[in-house]
Amino acid sequence: MTSIGILGAGRVGTNLARKLSAAGHHVTLGGRGSEDATSHTTAHTDGLAPRIAFADQRTTALTSEIVINATPGDSSLDRLADLRTELAGKILVDVSNATRSDGDGLPGDLCYPGSSLAEKLQAALPDTRVVKTLNTMLFMVMTAPEILATPPTAYLSGNDQHAKATVTGLLADLGWQPERIEDLGGITTARATEAMILVVPHILRRHGFKPFAVSLAR
């Protein structure tokens, strides 16, 4: 059982909170304020809401062993850099993509071309072990990879092998089989998976908001 804090109370954060709580972890869901977190998540967590704590993001980061970044990627760097002290010594699991929105609200250009949000976070948080994963799929696939007809891939990027092993264990709790987890190497490899977001708006415009993942076929 692990103490997990999730920064971001939207669909991604609440979806992860529900599944990780059901797996037995102590989950705190962090909104911009404790009232904001509660109001945005109660409708999504259903019967599991009593098992999930709600707090502001600074408290969530401070009191959790592992922290998941599910905040909007275009503002994540400033938001998390301000939590450097609270995140020191922690594993930070980054599942966000930093893009500028197109006119229709879908992901557009990358905020950090030639780099990645994960790399920027690692540089801004030198005392934190950043692991990038789960950013190459729609949010519902993160916690239910079995819903896709073709088994999807969860990629891992990070400089710390122990941190990646810990995150691999969390992925197992979310339903991911070991053979579908692809360790790409150091944190610089996150620029490859973050760039995969560029295909997403085209798929959504063509097929609608249906579950999919950008995966490795063998």
Side-chain angles (χ1 to χ4, degrees), residues 2 24 29 46 60 70 113 118-119 124 140 151-152 154 158 169-170 177 194 198 200:
T2 305
L29 196 51
D46 299 325
T60 298
E119 290 172 82
M140 65 285 286
L170 289 183
Q177 299 299 317
E194 289 192 24
L198 296 176
V200 169

Side-chain angles (χ1 to χ4, degrees), residues 33-81:
S34 57
E35 291 183 4
D36 174 75
T38 304
S39 64
H40 279 78
T41 57
T42 301
H44 299 287
T45 52
D46 299 325
L48 292 178
R51 299 177 56 183
I52 299 173
F54 303 98
D56 61 86
Q57 292 180 359
R58 191 173 299 279
T59 300
T60 298
L62 179 65
T63 58
S64 303
E65 300 169 72
I66 297 174
V67 178
I68 298 174
N69 174 39
T71 65
D74 60 348
S75 61
S76 288
L77 183 57
D78 288 342
R79 192 187 308 249
L80 272 66

Side-chain angles (χ1 to χ4, degrees), residues 7-174:
L7 306 181
R11 289 179 297 188
V12 174
T14 55
N15 188 47
L16 290 169
R18 181 166 51 243
K19 189 64 176 279
L20 290 169
S21 175
H25 297 290
H26 295 294
V27 177
T28 301
L29 196 51
R32 294 185 179 182
S34 57
E35 291 183 4
D36 174 75
T38 304
S39 64
H40 279 78
T41 57
T42 301
H44 299 287
T45 52
D46 299 325
L48 292 178
R51 299 177 56 183
I52 299 173
F54 303 98
D56 61 86
Q57 292 180 359
R58 191 173 299 279
T59 300
T60 298
L62 179 65
T63 58
S64 303
E65 300 169 72
I66 297 174
V67 178
I68 298 174
N69 174 39
T71 65
D74 60 348
S75 61
S76 288
L77 183 57
D78 288 342
R79 192 187 308 249
L80 272 66
D82 188 50
L83 301 176
R84 177 172 174 171
T85 299
E86 290 81 2
L87 290 170
K90 311 287 179 70
I91 295 174
L92 176 66
V93 185
D94 179 30
V95 303
S96 294
N97 287 302
T99 62
R100 297 179 178 87
S101 178
D102 275 352
D104 57 4
L106 294 178
D109 293 336
L110 300 174
C111 291
Y112 308 112
S115 185
S116 65
L117 172 60
E119 290 172 82
K120 297 290 187 181
L121 288 172
Q122 186 61 86
L125 303 167
D127 299 320
T128 302
R129 294 168 289 167
V130 179
V131 178
K132 188 81 180 191
T133 193
L134 295 180
N135 63 304
T136 55
M137 61 200 71
L138 291 191
F139 74 93
M140 65 285 286
V141 181
M142 294 179 177
T143 59
E146 70 279 358
I147 66 177
L148 298 184
T150 303
T153 304
Y155 303 99
L156 283 179
S157 299
N159 295 336
D160 188 284
Q161 285 300 128
H162 180 264
K164 286 193 285 189
T166 300
V167 174
T168 297
L170 289 183
L171 291 177
D173 290 338
L174 294 174

